[in-house]
Amino acid sequence: FSPSAQQWFAFGPGISNTVRALAVSGNSLWVGGEFLSAGGLPASHLARYDLTNNQWSIPGLVSGSYVQAIEVIGTDVYVGG
């Protein structure tokens, strides 16, 4: 949602499956869930959307099951499944 434009907008191609967790840290929206791609990029249940540049990035692989929780403390991102 863009408060200045008062409208919703898409995050590019989006997420390929269910989103289970969201966390915001600065200009980053962290997204976790049951997906294997975000913004057209291969992802393993975790992705970061840059709210300033409107771009997806994939921070790395999440081993095991899908992500159900995300917590950001300082510069550290913790995920749980």
Side-chain angles (χ1 to χ4, degrees), residues 11-16 37-40 56:
F11 291 134
I15 300 291
S16 66
S37 70
W56 287 101

Side-chain angles (χ1 to χ4, degrees), residues 25-53:
S25 175
N27 293 329
S28 296
L29 171 64
W30 291 91
V31 181
E34 300 177 32
F35 54 87
L36 296 176
S37 70
L41 302 172
S44 179
H45 313 293
L46 181 67
R48 184 181 70 87
Y49 189 79
D50 186 312
L51 298 167
T52 302
N53 299 321

Side-chain angles (χ1 to χ4, degrees), residues 4 6 19 29 32 39 45 47 51 53-54 61 68 71-72 76 81:
S4 60
Q6 292 294 303
V19 171
L29 171 64
H45 313 293
L51 298 167
N53 299 321
N54 298 319
L61 296 175
Q68 296 186 59
E71 180 70 33
V72 179
D76 297 325

Side-chain angles (χ1 to χ4, degrees), residues 69-73 76-80:
I70 303 173
E71 180 70 33
V72 179
I73 300 173
D76 297 325
V77 178
Y78 299 90
V79 297

